[in-house]
Amino acid sequence: MLHFKIIFALQLWLLGASALPQWPSQQSLHLGAVMRVVEWISSSNTQPGFQVDPPDSPSSPYENQTVWHVITENPKYSKLVKAVKFADSGIEKLLDDSEQSITFFAIPDWAIKLPPRDMHSSPDQNMDLAAAIGLVDSLDDDDDDDDDDDDKKRRRKVLKTIVTAILQYHVLPDELDVTKLAEISSFPTKLRVPFGLDKKAQRIRVESRLIPPSTTVNMFSKVIESNLWTQNGVIHVLNNPLLPPLTAFRGVYLIPREFSYFTSTSQRSGLTTNLDLLYQEPKHEGDDPTFKGAGVVTSFAPANRAFQVLPTKLQLYLFSPFGESALRKILQFHVVPDFALLSDWVYNATSKETLPSAGNSAFLPTALDDTDYNIASSLYPDYLPSVFSPDLSSDVISTANYSLPTLLKDHSLDVNVIKYNVSLPIPNRPHRTVTHVYVNSQRVAVADIPALNGAVHVLGKLLDPRKKDEKGVQGNEWEDWEEWLPKWADGLDN
């Protein structure tokens, strides 16, 4: 069996490699991919649930039990059960409702790593399930048994709200096995917040791979056991808890090694409120708090490398007082206000509508280059360049085009989404959907990162804000910046 897997995997790699468009250091990318394949085929067994294409309706010992019964009767979910019991009662009712058809991402005890006891202080906006359970424990262990302790009541109330939100983010309203999860890139959860996305459901990002077989949620949480069918849905077990998304600004702010240029220049240019949501204290006692900033936004966030590859003289100009106006306008060109764009879901906050496809793509797709690959692998530790990425002759499932207005007046972005069907040349032809996103003909390095108030797409190069030529391709980009950039920025000021 192992011998067959080795031959099979190497044949697939050769097929995929021959189909890929070539670019510099392509060989090194393929070498990394091969090493990942070798790791997979050298193991005697894949992890539980990592099937290429599991049966659609497998028999399950839990088919007569609800999701709630399954996790309460299994001691490996004791911490998760404790969190559900502490949360709002609606979570337990949802998981125990036999009329539901939900998807639940369960977290075993070993994956919930509690923080040190001295870190148990107060609820935090960036808290994950492990930290929340740690705070629950600290409240339960508090020697103060005075039920009239207002501070303790307040902390318990805030913590219950946070735990409830985290658990809601682990529930999808529809019953989806791993095959269905592989069909699109993002899914709505049961979590809705009153101040982000116009109260639309917060979304998760799902990526599935064929070699080695895997399903990853929000880039870091892997499905280690899948398709546990129950009376009211299906359970997938993750190796890490899911963290509800932060805003389009705060999400990248917490990764300075990749986005310090973008976040610092955005702050300097006064664009933070166009990407973030800021808490506003109630003016009067009893009033509800409000939030100031961007309720819905899509950010095409340039990684640090996008700034570092610019000509040195241009960097000095942009980061000086003389280039402040030009820098602000370039950054504005990377922000789409009042739109939440993910490859499978586009919401227009102005019209309160979800946008349909705008027709077929009419441009030449490009491959990721070295810069994009390095960015993707840094953000996503398990990133593997798809050796089965389709070439132009591959089957296209669907295409969609969008023209989106940016913060920069009279300047819009052309966004193209192309979905391919990638299948393996074996019986039953297991397949996955591969989605590529392009903005102004530039391939997005990492697409579809959900944000509390929209979406983030990571770029390896700055977008050129000039009008495109007749072929729809940007001009000479930044090499001749002295000839056009200062005049262009000054012209917009006048």
Side-chain angles (χ1 to χ4, degrees):
M1 180 62 182
L2 179 59
H3 178 70
F4 166 76
K5 287 173 67 177
I6 294 174
I7 297 175
F8 168 60
L10 291 178
Q11 286 178 335
L12 290 178
W13 174 74
L14 290 173
L15 287 172
S18 63
L20 279 172
Q22 299 297 309
W23 65 88
S25 298
Q26 175 85 13
Q27 184 176 3
S28 63
L29 301 190
H30 281 158
L31 180 59
V34 171
M35 294 306 298
R36 297 288 295 279
V37 172
V38 169
E39 291 176 4
W40 170 66
I41 62 180
S42 61
S43 61
S44 58
N45 294 292
T46 57
Q47 289 180 293
F50 281 18
Q51 306 169 27
V52 175
D53 264 324
D56 290 336
S57 299
S59 59
S60 170
Y62 313 118
E63 57 188 11
N64 294 321
Q65 303 177 49
T66 63
V67 170
W68 178 241
H69 286 157
V70 172
I71 64 174
T72 54
E73 293 180 5
N74 193 326
K76 76 176 183 179
Y77 299 117
S78 62
K79 294 177 182 178
L80 179 61
V81 169
K82 183 173 185 177
V84 173
K85 289 182 176 180
F86 179 82
D88 185 88
S89 61
I91 296 294
E92 181 178 335
K93 291 178 181 178
L94 173 65
L95 300 181
D96 199 30
D97 186 352
S98 60
E99 299 299 319
Q100 295 287 333
S101 294
I102 61 175
T103 298
F104 182 61
F105 294 103
I107 315 298
D109 287 353
W110 61 264
I112 301 177
K113 304 174 182 65
L114 299 181
R117 300 291 290 181
D118 58 4
M119 292 181 63
H120 296 162
S121 54
S122 60
D124 180 81
Q125 62 180 346
N126 300 330
M127 183 181 300
D128 63 9
L129 187 60
I133 292 176
L135 277 175
V136 172
D137 289 340
S138 69
L139 286 175
D140 291 342
D141 295 342
D142 197 331
D143 293 333
D144 185 3
D145 295 327
D146 185 2
D147 292 338
D148 294 329
D149 185 342
D150 291 338
D151 182 63
K152 186 174 180 179
K153 286 182 178 180
R154 181 191 63 81
R155 287 187 288 133
R156 183 175 291 272
K157 181 180 179 180
V158 173
L159 183 56
K160 176 173 286 193
T161 300
I162 293 174
V163 173
T164 300
I166 293 173
L167 291 171
Q168 288 173 331
Y169 195 63
H170 285 72
V171 182
L172 308 185
D174 299 311
E175 184 181 83
L176 302 169
D177 63 15
V178 289
T179 302
K180 291 181 180 178
L181 287 175
E183 292 177 356
I184 61 178
S185 301
S186 71
F187 295 87
T189 69
K190 281 289 189 177
L191 175 61
R192 297 172 185 262
V193 294
F195 46 85
L197 275 185
D198 281 354
K199 301 182 181 180
K200 300 293 182 182
Q202 295 294 308
R203 302 179 76 87
I204 60 169
R205 178 187 192 270
V206 178
E207 182 173 9
S208 297
R209 293 193 178 277
L210 287 171
I211 300 294
S214 66
T215 299
T216 305
V217 183
N218 283 8
M219 303 176 73
F220 298 103
S221 299
K222 282 191 174 182
V223 175
I224 56 173
E225 193 172 358
S226 66
N227 295 356
L228 304 179
W229 298 95
T230 70
Q231 186 181 27
N232 63 336
V234 61
I235 298 173
H236 304 300
V237 183
L238 301 179
N239 67 345
N240 284 299
L242 299 176
L243 178 66
L246 301 176
T247 63
F249 178 79
R250 298 185 187 218
V252 296
Y253 182 82
L254 293 179
I255 315 177
R257 71 178 185 275
E258 291 298 338
F259 297 104
S260 59
Y261 280 71
F262 178 61
T263 55
S264 61
T265 54
S266 295
Q267 290 173 309
R268 174 184 170 187
S269 301
L271 299 180
T272 306
T273 54
N274 299 111
L275 297 165
D276 202 2
L277 283 168
L278 305 177
Y279 176 82
Q280 304 288 301
E281 289 285 350
K283 293 183 179 180
H284 305 286
E285 186 176 352
D287 290 349
D288 292 331
T290 58
F291 290 82
K292 176 184 178 182
V296 180
V297 66
T298 294
S299 170
F300 290 90
N304 287 346
R305 183 65 176 169
F307 293 91
Q308 294 167 351
V309 297
L310 295 175
T312 302
K313 194 172 181 180
L314 174 56
Q315 294 184 47
L316 295 174
Y317 171 73
L318 291 176
F319 302 144
S320 73
F322 303 102
E324 184 175 347
S325 176
L327 176 62
R328 176 181 172 82
K329 290 174 174 58
I330 291 172
L331 294 175
Q332 287 177 323
F333 188 58
H334 289 71
V335 178
V336 180
D338 300 321
F339 278 86
L341 184 144
L342 294 166
S343 60
D344 298 293
W345 186 74
V346 182
Y347 175 67
N348 184 340
T350 302
S351 64
K352 310 297 182 184
E353 295 177 343
T354 300
L355 296 183
S357 170
N360 293 326
S361 296
F363 72 101
L364 181 65
T366 57
L368 289 177
D369 61 16
D370 284 353
T371 297
D372 298 326
Y373 168 73
N374 292 333
I375 292 168
S377 60
S378 176
L379 288 174
Y380 184 5
D382 292 321
Y383 179 77
L384 173 64
S386 178
V387 295
F388 310 109
S389 293
D391 63 5
L392 298 180
S393 64
S394 301
D395 293 335
V396 175
I397 299 175
S398 64
T399 64
N401 300 338
Y402 306 98
S403 180
L404 305 178
T406 68
L407 280 177
L408 187 60
K409 185 178 179 181
D410 298 327
H411 286 70
S412 61
L413 296 176
D414 293 330
V415 178
N416 310 88
V417 179
I418 306 180
K419 289 184 175 293
Y420 302 92
N421 181 62
V422 179
S423 60
L424 300 183
I426 61 176
N428 298 324
R429 297 188 67 83
H431 65 91
R432 289 291 182 267
T433 300
V434 175
T435 303
H436 290 173
V437 178
Y438 302 83
V439 54
N440 285 11
S441 301
Q442 179 184 152
R443 172 83 176 272
V444 172
V446 181
D448 292 338
I449 301 177
L452 182 145
N453 57 344
V456 175
H457 303 275
V458 182
L459 300 179
K461 299 176 183 177
L462 282 179
L463 296 172
D464 187 334
R466 289 174 292 175
K467 298 295 183 181
K468 297 179 287 295
D469 62 27
E470 295 179 357
K471 296 181 180 179
V473 180
Q474 297 288 354
N476 197 25
E477 296 189 345
W478 304 104
E479 293 181 6
D480 59 346
W481 68 272
E482 291 180 272
E483 299 177 7
W484 66 269
L485 182 58
K487 295 179 181 178
W488 170 82
D490 291 342
L492 294 179
D493 288 333
N494 296 330

